[in-house]
Each structure stands twice: as structure tokens, then as C-alpha cells.
Amino acid sequence: MKPTAHRPKIAVIGAGWAGLSAAARLAGRADVSLFEAGKQAGGRARMLAGNQAGFSFLDNGQHIMIGAYHGLLSLMQLIGVREQDAFLRLPLQWHLADGLQFQAASLPAPLHIAFGLLKARNLLFGEKIRLLNDMHALQQYHASPLPDISTAEWLRERNVSRKLTGNFWQPLVWGALNTPLEHAGLRTLCNVLQDGVWSSKEGSDYLLPKQDLGSIIAEPALAFLAEHGATVHLEARVARLANLPDGRVAVNGQSFDAAVLAVAPYHAAALMPSETPAAVLSAFNAIRYHAITTVYLRYAETVHLPAPLTGLAEGTAQWFIHRGALGLPANETAAVISLSDLIGRLKPEEWAARVHADLKTLCPYLGEPLAARVITEQRATAAATVARTLPDLSWLHRRRIYPAGDYLHPRYPSTLEAAVQSGLSAADVCHNDCCGIKNAF
């Protein structure tokens, strides 16, 4: 690819967190045009438009971040958002109301987890030692050249008890990978633990949103782009991309030096040039997904939860967010149900009834909810399967098209951090190619 002598003109297609990250990274270095088909930026991590049904705010899914989300924190710094305004940072606290309970100790990693587990509640001493031994064995596996296997297979090889599986490993994998144990890649789980819990105490901290996600990323990012001369097109659906004779990319009748394609994989394949090889399209279309359901409930009474993030080993809801602990109305809560597709396609009132019943086991004094809102993302995350292979992007890169998204991260499952890192990386590769700079990737 011949370098362009002028300031590159780059289109970013999709204003989810990957697209916003790419656009923010390029702003000031390129003439950026951001295209978003929807009325709002933010993708699958934004505040719901319209009636909030009396809730303080409703996002289109409850997200839980951790201190190891360095890409997200650097993006927030770039666009002028302070962590303390956006999140409540709390030390790692594992609180299953009907099971394992521990909190990270005030010690460097990995001692913070080891001492926390030794003081855990609702485990026998021998079970605590066994869990620590299994964690050490997992670290050894991560450092080994052994092939990837499913988390379930590893648990069987280690002869892990049903109690430890249900109280720790299953909630961990479901929450981090949103993939069943039988299919969840152990290498991906290790990557999450290595960069988070195992690397530093601060990396294992919870970052619980105190504001709607639009206020944390989408709105400040759009303001940052406007300040840096980028053009933003909302409600602008993009047609299939095409390469012009000089190699540039045609986007909705305009020519660009390159395009970052930051949309979901099932939309990306439909936007690729008509001559895209079948193998590339097949790789995008072959990606499989799992659902996540969020249930918001509002009561007349205060919801008293024992921890800001309270879980259930047995129940439909896996985690409840204590909104009162975040400085939000104390009569509201949000419940997260990972892998909700395994339960089935329930009606909203059925989800709400199940979650209300779960909450009543923790707060038996509660009456019927005054309001409920259910949001199910049927394709919330790409499955983090064993030895998963990413689509080969070389053909697209040669045509100055740079896909980005959480599903393309080489090490992480589909998380907001993966989306941000993918967007930043795609922006760097795109800009370097346009300017003839050799990439160190």
C-alpha cells in the first residue's frame, strides 16, 4: 500500500465502544467521519432512550467492569471522564448469599486472593486449600504449552467438587466469558485472570457504574470528536463498502483513504465489498453467540442487599447490583442473568417474576415491584470457545478496511474492555498503513 502524503481521511462505521474508541484515537491525526445507523451512540452499552419508568436510569444491559480495564480507563482519560465520577471502585468481594463469601485482602497480588480465600465463609478449611491448589494449577497450565481445553474438562481432570464448581468456577466463567463450562476455552479464562486477579490487587477491583453508560463513554466521546473536528452522522445507515480504482474506500458516496468497520460481525459481513472471499465471509458468519438478560426492579421499600454485588449460586439471577450502594435510589436493583439463552425465551413478565422471587429470598419483606424492565440481548457476546480462531483480516486490510469489535480480541472474551482495545488497535493499524508506517504487530 502506498502511503498518502496528506492527512488521511478515515471513515469509522459503527459508534459502539469499539467505533468510538477508534474514532477518538484517530481524532487529531486524521479527518474522521463517524457513521452510526442508530439514533444514539454507544452500541450495546448505552442508556435506553425514552421512558425510564421511574428508574434513576436504564442501560440496555447491566455491565460490571474491573480495575484491569486499562484500555477503558485510558479512553476515559482521553475524552475527559474521571473514574471517580463514573464508577464506584471496590475491592474484589465475592458474595454468594447462599454460598461462598470472601473479600480480597489488603495485600499485593496474588496474596490478596490467597488470604481472602483462607478467611472465606461457607467453605471447609480443606475446601479452601483445594480451591487455592486448583488456582495454582491453573496458573501452571497458563504458563505451559499445553493445548486449549474446555473449562469443564479441566475441572473433571482436577476432580473438582460440585460444591466448588457451583460456588466459584461456574459463576466465574459465566460472568467473565458468558459461555457454558463445556465449551468455555480455558486459555481465555486464564487470560482474564492473568491480566486481572493475578496481576495486581487494583486490577481485581470492581468498577460499578454510578451513571448511565451513555454519560460515561458515548456522550463525552461524541463531544471530544466534535472538539477535534470529526464529523458524526447519526441515523446514517451505511451501504456495502466498495474499493475505488485508486484503492480508496467508498462509503455512502464519499471516498476515504480507509475505513474502520466497527459493527457486529453479523452486520460486518453484509457491509464487506462484493468481491470479499467466501472464506472471510464464512468466518464472520460462523461466529456463535450467547444471550444476557438484565432485569431492573423498583420497589416501594428499600432493597437491603448484603453486598454491593450480591450473587446466588441457586437461582435464575446470578448477580444483583445494590444501587443504593452506588448513591442511586435504594429501592432499585438490577439483576444479571448470563447465558439466559440456556433458560429459554421467556416473556418479560416471566423474567421479572423469577428475579423477584430470587430477590425475595434475600429480602423477604419486599412487596410486589412497582416497576420492572427486562432487556435481553440475544447476541450479547460471541462464544469464548475452546481454541477459537479469529477471522483472517489480511485481505480486508489490503483493501484498507479494518474491522474492530470485542469479538476480534485475540486474548479476551467479548467484553467492553475487548471492544475498546480492539477499536484502539484497529485505529493504530489503519493510521499507520495510511501513513506508510510499519506496524509492530
Side-chain angles (χ1 to χ4, degrees):
M1 182 185 301
K2 294 181 180 180
T4 57
H6 59 86
R7 177 184 170 99
K9 181 182 177 183
I10 299 174
V12 177
I13 302 162
W17 284 32
L20 290 170
S21 300
R25 177 82 107 190
L26 291 166
R29 298 191 294 166
D31 293 333
V32 177
S33 291
L34 176 63
F35 296 87
E36 166 57 42
K39 295 181 179 180
Q40 294 176 271
R44 290 183 288 106
R46 55 174 171 76
M47 187 174 78
L48 290 177
N51 182 14
Q52 300 293 295
F55 288 91
S56 51
F57 64 84
L58 296 172
D59 286 328
N60 65 335
Q62 175 67 55
H63 291 267
I64 300 164
M65 278 66 95
I66 61 173
Y69 278 21
H70 302 299
L72 170 59
L73 293 173
S74 67
L75 173 64
M76 290 169 55
Q77 185 176 24
L78 175 65
I79 62 177
V81 178
R82 300 193 310 167
E83 177 196 316
Q84 58 267 38
D85 294 334
F87 300 119
L88 175 66
R89 180 184 279 264
L90 294 172
L92 171 64
Q93 184 178 37
W94 187 274
H95 191 105
L96 295 182
D98 55 352
L100 173 62
Q101 299 171 11
F102 72 91
Q103 180 170 326
S106 298
L107 294 169
L111 296 177
H112 68 309
I113 296 297
F115 277 79
L117 283 172
L118 287 174
K119 297 174 67 175
R121 299 175 60 186
N122 301 328
L123 285 186
L124 300 174
F125 182 75
E127 293 170 327
K128 298 175 185 178
I129 298 300
R130 178 56 193 270
L131 183 53
L132 286 170
N133 286 337
D134 288 337
M135 189 71 76
H136 180 64
L138 190 58
Q139 289 178 300
Q140 291 180 313
Y141 167 83
H142 182 58
S144 77
L146 293 173
D148 197 10
I149 60 174
S150 75
T151 304
E153 182 179 349
W154 182 80
L155 293 171
R156 286 193 294 268
E157 289 179 356
R158 296 285 303 170
N159 197 28
V160 176
S161 69
R162 180 177 297 181
K163 179 180 178 181
L164 288 179
T165 298
N167 275 257
F168 183 73
W169 295 107
Q170 180 168 288
L172 173 66
V173 173
W174 284 17
L177 274 62
N178 197 43
T179 303
L181 294 177
E182 290 292 343
H183 302 138
L186 193 63
R187 286 284 173 195
T188 304
L189 176 62
C190 286
N191 293 337
V192 171
L193 293 172
Q194 177 61 47
D195 294 354
V197 173
W198 295 343
S199 91
S200 71
K201 180 183 181 299
E202 294 74 21
S204 67
D205 289 347
Y206 291 136
L207 299 178
L208 302 180
K210 297 189 293 184
Q211 305 176 30
D212 67 90
L213 294 174
S215 297
I216 294 175
I217 293 295
E219 294 168 14
L222 292 181
F224 175 85
L225 292 173
E227 291 170 5
H228 287 77
T231 303
V232 177
H233 306 273
L234 297 179
E235 297 185 81
R237 192 170 297 278
V238 170
R240 184 182 294 276
L241 304 180
N243 283 113
L244 299 172
D246 62 0
R248 289 184 295 172
V249 182
V251 180
N252 282 9
Q254 301 181 56
S255 62
F256 292 87
D257 293 307
V260 175
L261 188 57
V263 299
Y266 42 87
H267 293 314
L271 294 179
M272 292 175 189
S274 57
E275 66 273 20
T276 302
V280 175
L281 297 174
S282 296
F284 278 81
N285 290 327
I287 295 172
R288 296 294 175 259
Y289 310 89
H290 288 294
I292 299 176
T293 294
T294 300
V295 178
Y296 296 99
L297 296 174
R298 181 167 57 84
Y299 292 89
E301 304 86 0
T302 296
V303 179
H304 294 287
L305 290 174
L309 191 62
T310 300
L312 289 174
E314 301 290 340
T316 297
Q318 289 126 26
W319 297 101
F320 286 97
I321 309 298
H322 184 10
R323 283 194 150 188
L326 305 178
L328 301 172
N331 62 334
E332 298 178 11
T333 189
V336 179
I337 306 164
S338 299
L339 291 170
S340 58
D341 49 309
L342 301 187
I343 298 175
R345 289 179 178 263
L346 304 184
K347 296 177 181 179
E349 57 269 25
E350 293 174 319
W351 284 117
R354 286 194 180 204
V355 171
H356 171 64
D358 286 342
L359 190 57
K360 288 273 285 186
T361 67
L362 305 174
C363 307
Y365 59 87
L366 290 175
E368 290 297 310
L370 299 177
R373 190 71 179 268
V374 178
I375 296 98
T376 296
E377 289 279 353
Q378 295 294 347
R379 294 183 285 194
T381 65
T385 52
V386 177
R388 66 190 181 104
T389 56
L390 300 180
D392 183 353
L393 305 180
S394 56
W395 186 90
L396 291 164
H397 284 185
R398 288 196 297 271
R399 280 145 186 85
R400 306 189 187 187
I401 298 170
Y402 300 85
D406 56 8
Y407 65 98
L408 291 172
H409 199 285
R411 301 182 68 252
Y412 294 164
S414 294
T415 59
L416 293 178
E417 175 68 5
V420 170
Q421 287 194 19
S422 177
L424 297 175
S425 176
D428 287 341
V429 175
C430 172
H431 182 266
N432 290 348
D433 282 354
C434 286
C435 296
I437 302 172
K438 185 176 181 180
N439 295 303
F441 290 91

